[in-house]
Amino acid sequence: MIEFNCLTLFPEMFSSFTGTSICKRAIEAGHVEISLIDFREYTTDKHRRVDDYPFGGGAGMLIGPQSVFDCMEAVKEKTAGKKVRTIYMSPSGKTLDSAMVRRLASYDAVNILCGHYEGVDQRIIDELIDEEVSIGDYVLTGGELPAMVLMDSVMRYVDGVLGNGESVVSESHGEGGLLEYPQYTRPADFRGLKVPEVLLSGHHAKILAWQRERAIEKTVRVRPDLIKKASLTKKERDYAESLLRKSENTEE
Ligand code: ADE
């Protein structure tokens, strides 16, 4: 069971995420709880404003401390005594990866602040936030989509959320650190496009060996940076290195 408390000015952005597919099922089954909290509700400003001009000038508006501090204090009261992590979604954070996802899945509660406009007052980050998390080297208009990416990836590691316990093991970026091998379903021949013979053979060991080889090849081709950290046997490492050398030679 994991609890997400998401502080956002746009809670309505989350409705298709929380109301569809695996996320919806996980909430209904009690494996995941998602509270969407509009921190504008906490503003003491008579015009309900939460943002203001940055000191020192500069483009755009910043979210000020008052509404976020008051809202986060209420959330922290709600999560008191739990193992909790508080995150700010931001393009200047550490990039989300599968190690971070797995680590976050071990918390009882994850509080997520979604920014908007040009960002938030630094005192929010200094006082309330444990870590800033980015979903990649590009800038979005707000932290809502990144927050959904984070929740989606984290909840997959929470017990009971996925039906088949296997699927987080052999997938891309799984424990082995390789990308996923190609998969096929029926028909075995679609418009003359044939499924690799070995997969129809019923020979389990041969199939596993074929899948490992394809996963290594794909990883070398698409994400050579992942190979170094992948857990490979001596024979597999030799194979990966021969492929790497080959691709380096053809690049020149
Ligand atoms: N907010 C805007 N861009 C973002 C990004 N790339 N990652 C996380 N939060 C963001």
Side-chain angles (χ1 to χ4, degrees), residues 203-216 236:
H203 194 303
H204 193 57
K206 272 193 189 157
I207 291 172
L208 285 178
W210 182 89
Q211 289 171 334
R212 282 296 283 184
E213 262 181 44
R214 298 295 85 71
I216 292 167
E236 288 172 335

Side-chain angles (χ1 to χ4, degrees), residues 88-92 115 133-144 146-147:
Y88 170 48
M89 302 311 306
S90 152
S92 28
V133 177
S134 166
I135 62 161
D137 292 342
Y138 42 83
V139 180
L140 299 164
T141 55
E144 284 74 14

Side-chain angles (χ1 to χ4, degrees), residues 44-139:
T44 52
D45 183 82
K46 62 176 186 288
H47 305 294
R48 288 174 54 80
R49 276 179 48 176
V50 294
D51 58 337
D52 213 328
Y53 297 98
F55 282 121
M61 305 286 272
L62 281 183
I63 291 172
Q66 181 270 316
S67 62
V68 177
F69 268 72
D70 286 352
C71 183
M72 199 63 95
E73 276 154 14
V75 165
K76 288 197 175 177
E77 232 162 78
K78 179 184 162 212
T79 54
K82 291 185 175 159
K83 189 182 172 205
V84 50
R85 197 76 174 157
T86 300
I87 287 169
Y88 170 48
M89 302 311 306
S90 152
S92 28
K94 182 162 181 267
T95 309
L96 187 67
D97 63 11
S98 88
M100 201 193 289
V101 165
R102 274 175 267 200
R103 173 170 59 77
L104 292 175
S106 72
Y107 285 90
D108 301 325
V110 178
N111 304 330
I112 308 172
L113 173 63
C114 306
H116 242 271
Y117 315 112
E118 289 306 309
V120 301
D121 187 287
Q122 184 62 35
R123 290 166 291 187
I124 292 172
I125 297 170
D126 294 344
E127 298 299 315
L128 302 175
I129 300 297
D130 297 314
E131 54 189 309
E132 288 183 75
V133 177
S134 166
I135 62 161
D137 292 342
Y138 42 83
V139 180

Side-chain angles (χ1 to χ4, degrees), residues 13-243:
M13 278 184 77
F14 293 80
S15 56
S16 57
F17 172 61
T18 58
T20 312
S21 186
I22 292 173
C23 185
K24 178 181 185 203
R25 199 182 65 201
I27 293 169
E28 284 169 356
H31 301 307
V32 175
E33 190 185 301
I34 299 182
S35 297
L36 300 164
I37 306 145
D38 182 354
F39 56 87
R40 194 185 298 281
E41 298 298 326
Y42 288 81
T43 185
T44 52
D45 183 82
K46 62 176 186 288
H47 305 294
R48 288 174 54 80
R49 276 179 48 176
V50 294
D51 58 337
D52 213 328
Y53 297 98
F55 282 121
M61 305 286 272
L62 281 183
I63 291 172
Q66 181 270 316
S67 62
V68 177
F69 268 72
D70 286 352
C71 183
M72 199 63 95
E73 276 154 14
V75 165
K76 288 197 175 177
E77 232 162 78
K78 179 184 162 212
T79 54
K82 291 185 175 159
K83 189 182 172 205
V84 50
R85 197 76 174 157
T86 300
I87 287 169
Y88 170 48
M89 302 311 306
S90 152
S92 28
K94 182 162 181 267
T95 309
L96 187 67
D97 63 11
S98 88
M100 201 193 289
V101 165
R102 274 175 267 200
R103 173 170 59 77
L104 292 175
S106 72
Y107 285 90
D108 301 325
V110 178
N111 304 330
I112 308 172
L113 173 63
C114 306
H116 242 271
Y117 315 112
E118 289 306 309
V120 301
D121 187 287
Q122 184 62 35
R123 290 166 291 187
I124 292 172
I125 297 170
D126 294 344
E127 298 299 315
L128 302 175
I129 300 297
D130 297 314
E131 54 189 309
E132 288 183 75
V133 177
S134 166
I135 62 161
D137 292 342
Y138 42 83
V139 180
L140 299 164
T141 55
E144 284 74 14
L145 287 168
M148 286 184 253
V149 168
L150 187 141
M151 290 191 283
D152 188 293
S153 57
V154 169
M155 75 172 66
R156 298 178 67 257
Y157 287 91
V158 173
D159 281 347
V161 170
L162 294 187
N164 174 6
E166 277 287 86
S167 31
V168 285
V169 177
S170 69
E171 65 185 7
S172 294
H173 307 290
E175 306 275 0
L178 293 172
L179 300 182
E180 201 167 36
Y181 49 78
Q183 300 189 85
Y184 301 85
T185 182
R186 292 188 297 174
D189 182 338
F190 175 69
R191 299 184 179 177
L193 304 166
K194 295 200 175 58
V195 170
E197 202 65 44
V198 60
L199 299 180
L200 312 175
S201 70
H203 194 303
H204 193 57
K206 272 193 189 157
I207 291 172
L208 285 178
W210 182 89
Q211 289 171 334
R212 282 296 283 184
E213 262 181 44
R214 298 295 85 71
I216 292 167
E217 284 168 13
K218 169 127 201 219
T219 310
V220 166
R221 183 161 40 86
V222 179
R223 291 292 305 278
D225 57 302
L226 296 178
I227 281 289
K228 219 161 77 191
K229 276 210 231 151
S231 56
L232 301 176
T233 64
K234 166 86 175 69
K235 204 168 145 216
E236 288 172 335
R237 180 141 315 275
D238 289 345
Y239 180 53
E241 275 161 15
S242 78
L243 292 174

